[in-house]
């Protein structure tokens, strides 16, 4: 049964690859790629032979690819075809997947300030905690609720460093010792995405020099990836609050994530959060 399902999946993927390449080829005119029109054409767009020549591959091979035949492809060749067909980043990744390859990691951009749209989203999310971090886990935006609930200070610039060195955050975090290994493992997994970026090593080395707990965990070389988590805090003013934390990537800034915290139902967190935010004059909406 599994074999039949796998075969069906391959057939569907090849069909989608055939239709995708045909549709992309049809929308590119010879003039778009610097070629003479060459008289009237029966069909719009480039011919298969023209795509093959411009991409530097054999005409028969490209025909087989567009027909969805079971042939060997490489990322280098797919990149050449993507350039000829003027594919954007999303279309290029789609082509990789249809051809059975993993899309290359999108190049990361330096840490940048959040856009006005994301800033408004963070403000609207208050009084629920939220913040944005870049690929190195530096904070690029933190709403006031996150500072009140989690104890982040103006001097806190990096999520990883704050987790291991901010004494207030450590006291507030109910499951700090249980969570610490996952935090260190997640940072190592992110570092592995950018093997040529020395900033991860610099952050880890400096933190290991000041935090024995992090140094021990980092030496274990564990890796883990998380898109959600449960975060519990014992707040001195509000008592115990439990949040569901969700990490949302920001596609316009590769490596940046929006982390949003929502009160976990059935824990009384919503009511405690409302009271706490009211005490700090931060209630702008109901936490839902």
């Amino acid at each position: 049964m599994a074999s039949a399902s796998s075969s069906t999946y391959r057939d569907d993927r090849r069909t989608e690859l055939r239709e995708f390449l045909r549709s992309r080829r049809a929308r590119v005119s010879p003039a778009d790629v610097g070629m003479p029109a060459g008289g009237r054409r029966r069909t719009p767009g480039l011919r298969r032979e023209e795509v093959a020549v411009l991409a530097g591959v054999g005409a028969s091979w490209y025909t087989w690819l567009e027909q969805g035949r079971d042939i060997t492809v490489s990322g280098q060749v797919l990149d050449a075809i993507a350039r000829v067909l003027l594919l954007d980043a999303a279309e290029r990744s789609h082509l990789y997947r249809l051809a059975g390859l993993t899309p290359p990691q999108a190049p990361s951009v330096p840490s940048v300030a959040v856009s006005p749209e994301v800033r408004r989203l963070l403000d609207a999310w208050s009084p629920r905690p939220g913040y944005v971090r870049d690929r190195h886990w530096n904070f690029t935006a933190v709403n006031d609720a996150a500072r009140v609930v989690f104890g982040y200070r103006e001097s806190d610039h990096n999520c990883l460093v704050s987790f291991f060195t901010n004494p207030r955050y450590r006291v507030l975090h109910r499951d700090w010792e249980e969570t610490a290994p996952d935090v260190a493992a997640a940072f190592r997994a992110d570092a592995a995405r950018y093997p040529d970026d020395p900033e991860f090593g610099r952050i880890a080395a400096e933190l290991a020099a000041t935090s024995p707990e992090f140094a021990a965990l980092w030496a274990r070389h564990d890796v883990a990836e998380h898109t959600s988590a449960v975060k519990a805090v014992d707040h001195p003013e509000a008592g115990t609050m439990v949040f569901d934390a969700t990490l949302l990537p920001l596609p316009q800034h590769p490596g940046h994530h929006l982390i949003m915290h929502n009160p976990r139902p059935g824990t009384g967190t919503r009511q405690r959060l409302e009271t706490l935010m009211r005490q700090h004059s931060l209630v702008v909406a109901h936490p839902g």
Side-chain angles (χ1 to χ4, degrees):
M1 189 69 179
S3 178
S5 299
S6 178
S7 177
T8 300
Y9 169 74
R10 286 195 301 271
D11 290 343
D12 290 345
R13 192 181 69 190
R14 290 170 184 170
T15 299
E16 176 65 19
L17 174 62
R18 178 174 65 249
E19 297 304 321
F20 179 69
L21 285 173
R22 286 177 177 175
S23 67
R24 300 307 93 172
R25 178 166 57 84
R27 72 178 186 180
V28 180
S29 70
D32 290 334
V33 292
M35 293 180 61
R40 179 176 297 180
R41 292 171 176 254
R42 290 179 297 176
T43 57
L46 297 176
R47 302 184 177 97
R48 287 175 176 170
E49 296 79 6
E50 292 169 337
V51 175
V53 169
L54 292 171
V57 299
S60 295
W61 185 92
Y62 178 77
T63 299
W64 295 337
L65 175 68
E66 193 171 290
Q67 290 174 343
R69 295 195 189 185
D70 188 11
I71 59 175
T72 301
V73 298
S74 68
Q76 183 178 7
V77 170
L78 291 181
D79 285 344
I81 293 171
R83 285 193 295 270
V84 173
L85 298 180
L86 306 180
L87 303 187
D88 61 23
E91 292 171 327
R92 175 172 169 261
S93 295
H94 187 57
L95 174 61
Y96 264 76
R97 294 187 182 97
L98 292 179
L101 299 182
T102 301
Q105 177 69 37
S108 184
V109 298
S111 180
V112 295
V114 297
S115 66
E117 293 79 10
V118 173
R119 181 73 259 184
R120 287 195 294 270
L121 176 59
L122 268 180
D123 291 340
W125 188 250
S126 185
R128 292 163 291 192
Y131 54 84
V132 177
R133 74 184 191 199
D134 67 12
R135 64 166 165 167
H136 302 121
W137 292 29
N138 295 314
F139 292 117
T140 62
V142 182
N143 70 9
D144 291 332
R147 297 190 186 280
V148 172
V149 172
F150 301 129
Y152 292 133
R153 306 159 299 190
E154 291 296 335
S155 58
D156 286 300
H157 300 298
N158 183 279
C159 186
L160 177 74
V161 175
S162 294
F163 183 91
F164 283 95
T165 64
N166 181 334
R168 185 183 177 200
Y169 181 85
R170 182 165 180 166
V171 169
L172 288 174
H173 202 298
R174 164 175 281 194
D175 303 313
W176 190 93
E177 291 186 357
E178 292 79 4
T179 304
D182 287 338
V183 172
F187 187 75
R188 184 177 286 281
D190 279 358
R193 298 177 186 274
Y194 309 100
D196 298 325
D197 187 343
E199 182 66 8
F200 288 96
R202 185 195 67 78
I203 293 172
E206 290 187 0
L207 182 55
T210 58
S211 170
E213 294 95 341
F214 175 78
L217 292 171
W218 192 248
R220 286 161 50 171
H221 291 269
D222 292 339
V223 294
E225 295 187 2
H226 303 285
T227 57
S228 62
V230 178
K231 189 177 294 185
V233 297
D234 289 322
H235 200 278
E237 300 173 57
T240 299
M241 292 184 289
V242 184
F243 297 90
D244 293 312
T246 302
L247 283 71
L248 303 174
L250 299 178
Q252 68 272 36
H253 300 307
H256 290 59
H257 287 81
L258 171 65
I259 294 87
M260 309 179 83
H261 301 80
N262 212 24
R264 169 158 280 212
T267 64
T269 298
R270 172 178 173 174
Q271 294 75 17
R272 296 187 185 97
L273 180 63
E274 287 181 314
T275 300
L276 178 64
M277 295 299 101
R278 192 174 297 112
Q279 292 171 352
H280 289 264
S281 302
L282 292 177
V283 174
V284 297
H286 290 290

